Amino acid sequence: LKKDVKFQVISFGNRENLMFKNGPRKASFSNKTYAYRWIITRVAYQPETLPSKAIMDSMFNRDIGQIIIISDGQISRKEPCPFKSTNYSIDKCASEFNKERANQDLGNNQLIDNRVTIDAVSIGENYCNTFSNQNNWMGKIAKQNGGRCSVLR
């Protein structure tokens, strides 16, 4: 991350925890060091994988330009989408929201592309496989939102 980019780290499972309680911060050396320490001290096991709220809350924040999802689990149960239709899956919810952020009017015939890129790292199991009809949530959300998904075994 470049030092002028703002970032946030969110741990999610059956609950979510924000590293910076008051919102994203610039990627200074000290903030990146703090993030590294914060990540390695998180409890890895949580009984569920419920990412929708954390992902969409991050997308609603205008300071966020990229989300990197790191997970070792399949989504535990269907969660409502807080944008447009509650029937959307998280990948559809995020991509529909991103479509609206694509060409925002600043006035004076100026448009800005304010989409959020979503990348993903699947730990252990391959949740990146977009050719599969199931267990592929990370691959789908990354592909539909300009990102990449990688498997770390």
Short mmCIF file of all heavy atoms in Angstrom, two decimals, residues 36-93:
data_model
loop_
_atom_site.label_atom_id
_atom_site.label_comp_id
_atom_site.label_asym_id
_atom_site.label_seq_id
_atom_site.Cartn_x
_atom_site.Cartn_y
_atom_site.Cartn_z
N TYR A 36 -0.14 -5.46 10.79
CA TYR A 36 0.51 -6.76 10.78
C TYR A 36 0.39 -7.44 12.15
O TYR A 36 -0.01 -8.60 12.25
CB TYR A 36 1.98 -6.60 10.39
CG TYR A 36 2.78 -7.87 10.50
CD1 TYR A 36 2.66 -8.86 9.54
CD2 TYR A 36 3.64 -8.07 11.58
CE1 TYR A 36 3.39 -10.03 9.65
CE2 TYR A 36 4.36 -9.24 11.70
CZ TYR A 36 4.24 -10.23 10.73
OH TYR A 36 4.94 -11.38 10.84
N ARG A 37 0.70 -6.71 13.20
CA ARG A 37 0.60 -7.27 14.55
C ARG A 37 -0.84 -7.62 14.90
O ARG A 37 -1.10 -8.63 15.54
CB ARG A 37 1.18 -6.29 15.57
CG ARG A 37 2.67 -6.18 15.47
CD ARG A 37 3.24 -5.27 16.54
NE ARG A 37 4.67 -5.12 16.36
CZ ARG A 37 5.33 -4.01 16.54
NH1 ARG A 37 4.70 -2.92 16.92
NH2 ARG A 37 6.62 -3.96 16.34
N TRP A 38 -1.77 -6.77 14.50
CA TRP A 38 -3.19 -7.00 14.80
C TRP A 38 -3.67 -8.27 14.12
O TRP A 38 -4.36 -9.08 14.72
CB TRP A 38 -4.00 -5.79 14.34
CG TRP A 38 -5.42 -5.76 14.83
CD1 TRP A 38 -5.87 -5.30 16.03
CD2 TRP A 38 -6.59 -6.18 14.11
NE1 TRP A 38 -7.24 -5.41 16.10
CE2 TRP A 38 -7.70 -5.94 14.94
CE3 TRP A 38 -6.80 -6.72 12.84
CZ2 TRP A 38 -9.00 -6.24 14.56
CZ3 TRP A 38 -8.10 -7.02 12.47
CH2 TRP A 38 -9.17 -6.78 13.32
N ILE A 39 -3.29 -8.46 12.86
CA ILE A 39 -3.72 -9.64 12.09
C ILE A 39 -3.19 -10.92 12.70
O ILE A 39 -3.94 -11.88 12.88
CB ILE A 39 -3.29 -9.51 10.62
CG1 ILE A 39 -4.11 -8.41 9.93
CG2 ILE A 39 -3.45 -10.84 9.88
CD1 ILE A 39 -3.57 -7.99 8.58
N ILE A 40 -1.91 -10.96 13.07
CA ILE A 40 -1.36 -12.21 13.57
C ILE A 40 -1.83 -12.54 14.99
O ILE A 40 -1.65 -13.67 15.44
CB ILE A 40 0.20 -12.26 13.49
CG1 ILE A 40 0.83 -11.18 14.35
CG2 ILE A 40 0.64 -12.18 12.05
CD1 ILE A 40 2.35 -11.29 14.44
N THR A 41 -2.45 -11.60 15.67
CA THR A 41 -2.96 -11.90 17.02
C THR A 41 -4.45 -12.23 17.03
O THR A 41 -5.01 -12.49 18.09
CB THR A 41 -2.72 -10.72 17.98
OG1 THR A 41 -3.40 -9.56 17.49
CG2 THR A 41 -1.24 -10.45 18.14
N ARG A 42 -5.11 -12.24 15.86
CA ARG A 42 -6.54 -12.57 15.80
C ARG A 42 -6.73 -14.04 16.07
O ARG A 42 -5.91 -14.87 15.66
CB ARG A 42 -7.16 -12.27 14.43
CG ARG A 42 -7.18 -10.84 14.01
CD ARG A 42 -8.03 -9.97 14.91
NE ARG A 42 -7.14 -9.31 15.84
CZ ARG A 42 -7.48 -8.74 16.98
NH1 ARG A 42 -8.71 -8.71 17.37
NH2 ARG A 42 -6.61 -8.18 17.76
N VAL A 43 -7.82 -14.37 16.71
CA VAL A 43 -8.20 -15.76 16.89
C VAL A 43 -8.71 -16.26 15.55
O VAL A 43 -9.66 -15.71 14.99
CB VAL A 43 -9.30 -15.89 17.97
CG1 VAL A 43 -9.80 -17.31 18.06
CG2 VAL A 43 -8.80 -15.39 19.30
N ALA A 44 -8.07 -17.29 15.02
CA ALA A 44 -8.42 -17.76 13.69
C ALA A 44 -9.77 -18.47 13.67
O ALA A 44 -10.55 -18.28 12.75
CB ALA A 44 -7.34 -18.69 13.16
N TYR A 45 -10.05 -19.26 14.68
CA TYR A 45 -11.28 -20.03 14.63
C TYR A 45 -12.49 -19.22 15.10
O TYR A 45 -12.49 -18.66 16.18
CB TYR A 45 -11.18 -21.30 15.48
CG TYR A 45 -12.49 -22.04 15.50
CD1 TYR A 45 -12.89 -22.80 14.41
CD2 TYR A 45 -13.36 -21.91 16.58
CE1 TYR A 45 -14.11 -23.44 14.41
CE2 TYR A 45 -14.59 -22.56 16.59
CZ TYR A 45 -14.95 -23.31 15.50
OH TYR A 45 -16.16 -23.94 15.49
N GLN A 46 -13.48 -19.15 14.25
CA GLN A 46 -14.79 -18.66 14.63
C GLN A 46 -15.77 -19.68 14.05
O GLN A 46 -15.54 -20.22 12.96
CB GLN A 46 -15.06 -17.26 14.08
CG GLN A 46 -14.21 -16.22 14.78
CD GLN A 46 -14.72 -14.80 14.50
OE1 GLN A 46 -15.90 -14.55 14.41
NE2 GLN A 46 -13.78 -13.88 14.35
N PRO A 47 -16.86 -19.96 14.74
CA PRO A 47 -17.74 -21.04 14.30
C PRO A 47 -18.49 -20.79 12.99
O PRO A 47 -19.01 -21.72 12.41
CB PRO A 47 -18.74 -21.19 15.46
CG PRO A 47 -18.68 -19.89 16.19
CD PRO A 47 -17.30 -19.36 15.99
N GLU A 48 -18.51 -19.54 12.51
CA GLU A 48 -19.23 -19.25 11.28
C GLU A 48 -18.44 -18.29 10.40
O GLU A 48 -17.56 -17.59 10.87
CB GLU A 48 -20.58 -18.60 11.59
CG GLU A 48 -21.55 -19.48 12.36
CD GLU A 48 -22.87 -18.80 12.58
OE1 GLU A 48 -22.90 -17.78 13.29
OE2 GLU A 48 -23.87 -19.29 12.02
N THR A 49 -18.78 -18.28 9.12
CA THR A 49 -18.23 -17.32 8.18
C THR A 49 -19.39 -16.48 7.67
O THR A 49 -20.20 -16.95 6.88
CB THR A 49 -17.52 -18.03 7.01
OG1 THR A 49 -16.45 -18.81 7.54
CG2 THR A 49 -16.97 -17.04 6.00
N LEU A 50 -19.49 -15.25 8.16
CA LEU A 50 -20.56 -14.33 7.80
C LEU A 50 -19.95 -12.99 7.38
O LEU A 50 -19.84 -12.07 8.17
CB LEU A 50 -21.52 -14.14 8.99
CG LEU A 50 -22.19 -15.42 9.51
CD1 LEU A 50 -22.92 -15.18 10.81
CD2 LEU A 50 -23.14 -15.97 8.45
N PRO A 51 -19.52 -12.88 6.11
CA PRO A 51 -18.76 -11.71 5.66
C PRO A 51 -19.58 -10.53 5.15
O PRO A 51 -19.04 -9.44 4.97
CB PRO A 51 -17.93 -12.28 4.52
CG PRO A 51 -18.84 -13.30 3.91
CD PRO A 51 -19.56 -13.92 5.10
N SER A 52 -20.86 -10.70 4.88
CA SER A 52 -21.63 -9.68 4.15
C SER A 52 -21.61 -8.31 4.80
O SER A 52 -21.37 -7.30 4.15
CB SER A 52 -23.07 -10.14 3.94
OG SER A 52 -23.10 -11.25 3.09
N LYS A 53 -21.87 -8.24 6.09
CA LYS A 53 -21.93 -6.94 6.77
C LYS A 53 -20.58 -6.23 6.70
O LYS A 53 -20.50 -5.04 6.37
CB LYS A 53 -22.39 -7.08 8.21
CG LYS A 53 -22.52 -5.73 8.92
CD LYS A 53 -23.05 -5.88 10.33
CE LYS A 53 -23.24 -4.59 11.07
NZ LYS A 53 -22.43 -3.46 10.74
N ALA A 54 -19.50 -6.94 6.98
CA ALA A 54 -18.16 -6.33 6.95
C ALA A 54 -17.81 -5.84 5.55
O ALA A 54 -17.29 -4.74 5.38
CB ALA A 54 -17.12 -7.33 7.45
N ILE A 55 -18.11 -6.64 4.54
CA ILE A 55 -17.78 -6.26 3.17
C ILE A 55 -18.60 -5.05 2.74
O ILE A 55 -18.06 -4.07 2.22
CB ILE A 55 -18.01 -7.45 2.20
CG1 ILE A 55 -16.97 -8.54 2.47
CG2 ILE A 55 -17.95 -6.98 0.74
CD1 ILE A 55 -17.26 -9.86 1.78
N MET A 56 -19.90 -5.09 2.97
CA MET A 56 -20.75 -4.00 2.50
C MET A 56 -20.52 -2.72 3.31
O MET A 56 -20.54 -1.63 2.75
CB MET A 56 -22.22 -4.41 2.51
CG MET A 56 -22.55 -5.47 1.46
SD MET A 56 -21.96 -5.13 -0.22
CE MET A 56 -22.89 -3.64 -0.63
N ASP A 57 -20.28 -2.83 4.62
CA ASP A 57 -19.95 -1.63 5.40
C ASP A 57 -18.69 -0.98 4.85
O ASP A 57 -18.59 0.25 4.78
CB ASP A 57 -19.76 -1.97 6.88
CG ASP A 57 -21.06 -2.21 7.61
OD1 ASP A 57 -22.16 -1.98 7.03
OD2 ASP A 57 -21.01 -2.63 8.79
N SER A 58 -17.73 -1.78 4.43
CA SER A 58 -16.50 -1.24 3.84
C SER A 58 -16.78 -0.58 2.51
O SER A 58 -16.24 0.48 2.20
CB SER A 58 -15.47 -2.35 3.66
OG SER A 58 -15.08 -2.87 4.91
N MET A 59 -17.65 -1.19 1.71
CA MET A 59 -17.97 -0.60 0.41
C MET A 59 -18.73 0.71 0.54
O MET A 59 -18.57 1.60 -0.28
CB MET A 59 -18.76 -1.60 -0.44
CG MET A 59 -17.90 -2.78 -0.87
SD MET A 59 -18.71 -3.81 -2.08
CE MET A 59 -18.46 -2.83 -3.56
N PHE A 60 -19.54 0.85 1.56
CA PHE A 60 -20.30 2.08 1.78
C PHE A 60 -19.39 3.25 2.18
O PHE A 60 -19.75 4.40 2.04
CB PHE A 60 -21.36 1.89 2.85
CG PHE A 60 -22.49 0.96 2.45
CD1 PHE A 60 -23.13 0.21 3.40
CD2 PHE A 60 -22.91 0.86 1.14
CE1 PHE A 60 -24.18 -0.63 3.06
CE2 PHE A 60 -23.96 0.01 0.78
CZ PHE A 60 -24.59 -0.73 1.74
N ASN A 61 -18.18 2.94 2.67
CA ASN A 61 -17.24 3.97 3.09
C ASN A 61 -16.52 4.53 1.86
O ASN A 61 -15.80 3.81 1.17
CB ASN A 61 -16.23 3.37 4.07
CG ASN A 61 -15.30 4.39 4.65
OD1 ASN A 61 -14.87 5.33 3.98
ND2 ASN A 61 -14.95 4.21 5.91
N ARG A 62 -16.69 5.80 1.58
CA ARG A 62 -16.13 6.43 0.38
C ARG A 62 -14.60 6.48 0.38
O ARG A 62 -13.98 6.71 -0.66
CB ARG A 62 -16.67 7.85 0.22
CG ARG A 62 -18.15 7.89 -0.02
CD ARG A 62 -18.44 7.47 -1.43
NE ARG A 62 -19.88 7.38 -1.64
CZ ARG A 62 -20.43 6.53 -2.46
NH1 ARG A 62 -19.70 5.70 -3.14
NH2 ARG A 62 -21.74 6.49 -2.63
N ASP A 63 -13.97 6.27 1.54
CA ASP A 63 -12.51 6.28 1.62
C ASP A 63 -11.91 4.94 1.17
O ASP A 63 -10.70 4.86 0.98
CB ASP A 63 -12.04 6.57 3.04
CG ASP A 63 -12.24 8.02 3.43
OD1 ASP A 63 -12.25 8.89 2.53
OD2 ASP A 63 -12.40 8.29 4.63
N ILE A 64 -12.72 3.92 1.04
CA ILE A 64 -12.21 2.59 0.70
C ILE A 64 -12.20 2.41 -0.80
O ILE A 64 -13.21 2.60 -1.48
CB ILE A 64 -13.09 1.48 1.34
CG1 ILE A 64 -13.14 1.63 2.87
CG2 ILE A 64 -12.61 0.09 0.94
CD1 ILE A 64 -11.86 1.36 3.59
N GLY A 65 -11.05 2.04 -1.36
CA GLY A 65 -10.92 1.79 -2.78
C GLY A 65 -10.60 0.34 -3.09
O GLY A 65 -10.73 -0.11 -4.22
N GLN A 66 -10.18 -0.40 -2.07
CA GLN A 66 -9.85 -1.81 -2.26
C GLN A 66 -10.17 -2.58 -1.00
O GLN A 66 -9.93 -2.09 0.12
CB GLN A 66 -8.37 -1.98 -2.60
CG GLN A 66 -7.96 -3.44 -2.80
CD GLN A 66 -6.48 -3.60 -3.04
OE1 GLN A 66 -5.68 -2.72 -2.70
NE2 GLN A 66 -6.09 -4.72 -3.61
N ILE A 67 -10.70 -3.77 -1.18
CA ILE A 67 -10.96 -4.69 -0.08
C ILE A 67 -10.21 -5.98 -0.38
O ILE A 67 -10.25 -6.47 -1.52
CB ILE A 67 -12.47 -4.99 0.06
CG1 ILE A 67 -13.25 -3.72 0.39
CG2 ILE A 67 -12.71 -6.07 1.12
CD1 ILE A 67 -14.76 -3.89 0.31
N ILE A 68 -9.51 -6.50 0.60
CA ILE A 68 -8.85 -7.79 0.47
C ILE A 68 -9.48 -8.72 1.50
O ILE A 68 -9.36 -8.49 2.70
CB ILE A 68 -7.33 -7.70 0.68
CG1 ILE A 68 -6.72 -6.70 -0.30
CG2 ILE A 68 -6.69 -9.08 0.54
CD1 ILE A 68 -5.26 -6.35 -0.02
N ILE A 69 -10.18 -9.73 1.00
CA ILE A 69 -10.85 -10.69 1.87
C ILE A 69 -9.90 -11.86 2.09
O ILE A 69 -9.36 -12.41 1.13
CB ILE A 69 -12.14 -11.21 1.23
CG1 ILE A 69 -13.09 -10.06 0.93
CG2 ILE A 69 -12.80 -12.26 2.12
CD1 ILE A 69 -14.23 -10.43 0.00
N ILE A 70 -9.71 -12.24 3.33
CA ILE A 70 -8.90 -13.41 3.67
C ILE A 70 -9.81 -14.33 4.48
O ILE A 70 -10.31 -13.93 5.53
CB ILE A 70 -7.65 -13.04 4.47
CG1 ILE A 70 -6.81 -12.02 3.70
CG2 ILE A 70 -6.84 -14.28 4.81
CD1 ILE A 70 -5.67 -11.42 4.51
N SER A 71 -10.05 -15.53 3.98
CA SER A 71 -10.96 -16.43 4.69
C SER A 71 -10.57 -17.89 4.47
O SER A 71 -9.97 -18.23 3.46
CB SER A 71 -12.41 -16.21 4.21
OG SER A 71 -13.30 -17.05 4.92
N ASP A 72 -10.97 -18.71 5.42
CA ASP A 72 -10.75 -20.15 5.30
C ASP A 72 -12.08 -20.90 5.28
O ASP A 72 -12.12 -22.10 5.46
CB ASP A 72 -9.88 -20.67 6.44
CG ASP A 72 -10.54 -20.52 7.80
OD1 ASP A 72 -11.62 -19.90 7.89
OD2 ASP A 72 -9.98 -21.03 8.78
N GLY A 73 -13.18 -20.18 5.08
CA GLY A 73 -14.47 -20.85 5.17
C GLY A 73 -15.48 -20.48 4.11
O GLY A 73 -15.43 -19.41 3.52
N GLN A 74 -16.40 -21.40 3.92
CA GLN A 74 -17.55 -21.17 3.08
C GLN A 74 -18.55 -20.35 3.88
O GLN A 74 -18.61 -20.48 5.11
CB GLN A 74 -18.17 -22.52 2.67
CG GLN A 74 -19.41 -22.45 1.82
CD GLN A 74 -19.19 -21.72 0.48
OE1 GLN A 74 -18.08 -21.55 0.00
NE2 GLN A 74 -20.27 -21.27 -0.11
N ILE A 75 -19.34 -19.51 3.24
CA ILE A 75 -20.35 -18.72 3.94
C ILE A 75 -21.31 -19.67 4.65
O ILE A 75 -21.81 -20.63 4.06
CB ILE A 75 -21.09 -17.79 2.96
CG1 ILE A 75 -20.11 -16.74 2.42
CG2 ILE A 75 -22.28 -17.13 3.62
CD1 ILE A 75 -20.70 -15.83 1.36
N SER A 76 -21.54 -19.41 5.94
CA SER A 76 -22.30 -20.32 6.78
C SER A 76 -23.79 -20.35 6.47
O SER A 76 -24.41 -21.40 6.54
CB SER A 76 -22.12 -19.94 8.26
OG SER A 76 -20.76 -19.96 8.59
N ARG A 77 -24.36 -19.20 6.15
CA ARG A 77 -25.79 -19.14 5.84
C ARG A 77 -26.05 -17.87 5.04
O ARG A 77 -25.24 -16.95 5.04
CB ARG A 77 -26.63 -19.18 7.11
CG ARG A 77 -26.44 -17.98 8.03
CD ARG A 77 -27.35 -18.06 9.26
NE ARG A 77 -27.20 -16.93 10.11
CZ ARG A 77 -26.34 -16.80 11.10
NH1 ARG A 77 -25.53 -17.79 11.38
NH2 ARG A 77 -26.30 -15.71 11.82
N LYS A 78 -27.18 -17.83 4.38
CA LYS A 78 -27.53 -16.67 3.57
C LYS A 78 -27.73 -15.46 4.47
O LYS A 78 -28.40 -15.54 5.48
CB LYS A 78 -28.81 -16.96 2.79
CG LYS A 78 -29.17 -15.88 1.80
CD LYS A 78 -30.25 -16.35 0.86
CE LYS A 78 -30.76 -15.26 -0.02
NZ LYS A 78 -29.89 -14.84 -1.05
N GLU A 79 -27.11 -14.36 4.08
CA GLU A 79 -27.25 -13.10 4.80
C GLU A 79 -27.97 -12.10 3.91
O GLU A 79 -27.83 -12.15 2.70
CB GLU A 79 -25.87 -12.53 5.14
CG GLU A 79 -25.04 -13.39 6.06
CD GLU A 79 -23.70 -12.74 6.32
OE1 GLU A 79 -22.77 -12.98 5.52
OE2 GLU A 79 -23.59 -11.97 7.29
N PRO A 80 -28.71 -11.17 4.49
CA PRO A 80 -29.38 -10.17 3.67
C PRO A 80 -28.38 -9.17 3.08
O PRO A 80 -27.36 -8.88 3.67
CB PRO A 80 -30.33 -9.47 4.64
CG PRO A 80 -29.72 -9.69 5.99
CD PRO A 80 -29.01 -11.01 5.91
N CYS A 81 -28.71 -8.68 1.89
CA CYS A 81 -27.91 -7.66 1.24
C CYS A 81 -28.47 -6.30 1.64
O CYS A 81 -29.65 -6.04 1.41
CB CYS A 81 -27.99 -7.83 -0.27
SG CYS A 81 -27.30 -6.46 -1.21
N PRO A 82 -27.67 -5.43 2.23
CA PRO A 82 -28.18 -4.12 2.65
C PRO A 82 -28.30 -3.12 1.51
O PRO A 82 -28.54 -1.95 1.73
CB PRO A 82 -27.13 -3.66 3.66
CG PRO A 82 -25.87 -4.30 3.19
CD PRO A 82 -26.28 -5.62 2.60
N PHE A 83 -28.15 -3.58 0.29
CA PHE A 83 -28.21 -2.69 -0.88
C PHE A 83 -29.19 -3.28 -1.89
O PHE A 83 -29.01 -4.39 -2.36
CB PHE A 83 -26.82 -2.56 -1.51
CG PHE A 83 -26.79 -1.73 -2.74
CD1 PHE A 83 -26.94 -0.35 -2.66
CD2 PHE A 83 -26.65 -2.31 -3.98
CE1 PHE A 83 -26.92 0.42 -3.80
CE2 PHE A 83 -26.63 -1.54 -5.13
CZ PHE A 83 -26.77 -0.16 -5.04
N LYS A 84 -30.22 -2.55 -2.21
CA LYS A 84 -31.24 -2.91 -3.21
C LYS A 84 -32.08 -4.11 -2.81
O LYS A 84 -33.14 -3.96 -2.26
CB LYS A 84 -30.63 -3.11 -4.58
CG LYS A 84 -30.21 -1.82 -5.22
CD LYS A 84 -30.19 -1.93 -6.71
CE LYS A 84 -29.83 -0.58 -7.28
NZ LYS A 84 -30.08 -0.40 -8.62
N SER A 85 -31.63 -5.33 -3.10
CA SER A 85 -32.45 -6.51 -2.89
C SER A 85 -31.86 -7.41 -1.82
O SER A 85 -30.70 -7.81 -1.91
CB SER A 85 -32.58 -7.30 -4.19
OG SER A 85 -33.22 -8.54 -3.95
N THR A 86 -32.65 -7.76 -0.83
CA THR A 86 -32.16 -8.64 0.23
C THR A 86 -31.95 -10.06 -0.29
O THR A 86 -31.36 -10.88 0.39
CB THR A 86 -33.14 -8.68 1.41
OG1 THR A 86 -34.42 -9.11 0.95
CG2 THR A 86 -33.25 -7.33 2.09
N ASN A 87 -32.42 -10.35 -1.50
CA ASN A 87 -32.24 -11.69 -2.07
C ASN A 87 -30.90 -11.87 -2.76
O ASN A 87 -30.57 -12.97 -3.18
CB ASN A 87 -33.36 -11.99 -3.07
CG ASN A 87 -34.70 -12.10 -2.39
OD1 ASN A 87 -34.79 -12.57 -1.26
ND2 ASN A 87 -35.74 -11.65 -3.05
N TYR A 88 -30.12 -10.79 -2.92
CA TYR A 88 -28.82 -10.91 -3.58
C TYR A 88 -27.84 -11.68 -2.71
O TYR A 88 -27.79 -11.51 -1.49
CB TYR A 88 -28.21 -9.52 -3.83
CG TYR A 88 -28.82 -8.72 -4.96
CD1 TYR A 88 -28.57 -7.37 -5.06
CD2 TYR A 88 -29.61 -9.30 -5.94
CE1 TYR A 88 -29.09 -6.61 -6.10
CE2 TYR A 88 -30.14 -8.55 -6.98
CZ TYR A 88 -29.87 -7.22 -7.06
OH TYR A 88 -30.38 -6.47 -8.09
N SER A 89 -27.00 -12.48 -3.36
CA SER A 89 -25.85 -13.08 -2.69
C SER A 89 -24.82 -11.96 -2.48
O SER A 89 -24.93 -10.89 -3.07
CB SER A 89 -25.26 -14.20 -3.55
OG SER A 89 -24.84 -13.66 -4.79
N ILE A 90 -23.79 -12.20 -1.68
CA ILE A 90 -22.82 -11.16 -1.38
C ILE A 90 -22.08 -10.73 -2.66
O ILE A 90 -21.82 -9.54 -2.85
CB ILE A 90 -21.82 -11.55 -0.27
CG1 ILE A 90 -20.86 -10.40 0.04
CG2 ILE A 90 -21.07 -12.82 -0.58
CD1 ILE A 90 -21.51 -9.09 0.44
N ASP A 91 -21.78 -11.63 -3.57
CA ASP A 91 -21.09 -11.23 -4.79
C ASP A 91 -21.99 -10.35 -5.66
O ASP A 91 -21.54 -9.34 -6.19
CB ASP A 91 -20.58 -12.44 -5.58
CG ASP A 91 -21.67 -13.45 -5.91
OD1 ASP A 91 -22.07 -14.19 -5.01
OD2 ASP A 91 -22.11 -13.49 -7.07
N LYS A 92 -23.26 -10.67 -5.77
CA LYS A 92 -24.21 -9.86 -6.55
C LYS A 92 -24.44 -8.52 -5.87
O LYS A 92 -24.49 -7.47 -6.51
CB LYS A 92 -25.53 -10.63 -6.70
CG LYS A 92 -26.58 -9.90 -7.47
CD LYS A 92 -26.30 -9.95 -8.94
CE LYS A 92 -27.52 -9.42 -9.70
NZ LYS A 92 -27.24 -9.22 -11.09
N CYS A 93 -24.56 -8.53 -4.54
CA CYS A 93 -24.78 -7.31 -3.77
C CYS A 93 -23.63 -6.32 -4.00
O CYS A 93 -23.84 -5.15 -4.31
CB CYS A 93 -24.90 -7.67 -2.29
SG CYS A 93 -25.36 -6.31 -1.21
#
